[in-house]
Amino acid sequence: PASGTGRLGGKVCVVTGAAGNPGGESVRHYLREGATVVLTGREPERNERARDAALAATGVHASRASTVRLDGADPASVTAAIAEVIARHGRL
């Protein structure tokens, strides 16, 4: 639902590799189920394009999807990304 209600309403989901095909499908599914979704990956520009595509496909408000750079092979990057998500949304 575009309103943020649904089975995942009120939840904040982080999707790693969100610019890829499986990640993008997960993002769209979570958005449709009402979640706020944070798209992550190593390339900020790809993350933004994936975010824009997911918003266009689902029709949800832009405030329900954001991006954070995260390189899963770098522990410091993971720690920083999760801290950024919590700072923005207050929870995961």
Side-chain angles (χ1 to χ4, degrees):
S3 65
T5 60
R7 292 182 337 164
L8 298 177
K11 304 290 184 188
V12 177
C13 301
V14 173
V15 178
T16 59
N21 289 333
E25 192 59 38
S26 294
V27 169
R28 290 185 294 278
H29 177 75
Y30 294 154
L31 288 171
R32 287 184 186 113
E33 289 293 336
T36 295
V37 180
V38 181
L39 293 77
T40 69
R42 292 176 298 199
E43 299 176 35
E45 296 82 16
R46 283 189 71 204
N47 297 338
E48 287 294 330
R49 286 193 303 271
R51 175 189 176 271
D52 293 345
L55 291 172
T58 60
V60 303
H61 191 272
S63 65
R64 296 242 327 273
S66 63
T67 65
V68 171
R69 184 188 181 286
L70 183 152
D71 180 350
D74 177 2
S77 173
V78 174
T79 299
I82 296 304
E84 186 173 342
V85 171
I86 292 171
R88 280 189 201 172
H89 300 286
R91 65 191 185 288
L92 229 228

